[in-house]
Amino acid sequence: MSMMDKLKQMLRGHESKADQGIDKAGDYVDGRTQGKYSRHVDTGQDKLKEQLRRDQGNPPPPQA
């Protein structure tokens, strides 16, 4: 079993906490870079959240 499979298994049932962690990590990076890469960080956060939802079998939220 790969490390990614283990992480997915651990996160199962805790999607909201994972989303909070992704947001917190992105905010930390934004703070450390003084917002210089905020657009890239936001894109990375969105992609990671989509990937976690897809791997958990949940459809992504509708785009606005």
Side-chain angles (χ1 to χ4, degrees):
M1 181 180 276
S2 71
M3 179 61 89
M4 194 61 171
D5 290 335
K6 289 179 183 181
L7 286 171
K8 290 176 195 175
Q9 187 177 17
M10 286 175 26
L11 291 174
R12 188 166 289 129
H14 303 283
E15 290 84 6
S16 64
K17 290 290 186 184
D19 283 348
Q20 289 174 359
I22 292 168
D23 289 337
K24 189 173 183 178
D27 292 343
Y28 176 78
V29 171
D30 275 339
R32 295 290 292 178
T33 61
Q34 299 172 351
K36 185 175 180 180
Y37 304 104
S38 63
R39 183 177 52 143
H40 301 289
V41 171
D42 291 342
T43 301
Q45 286 174 310
D46 292 340
K47 298 271 185 194
L48 185 54
K49 288 179 183 180
E50 286 176 22
Q51 183 66 39
L52 286 174
R53 283 189 195 95
R54 193 172 325 130
D55 290 341
Q56 298 297 328
N58 299 326
Q63 296 288 329

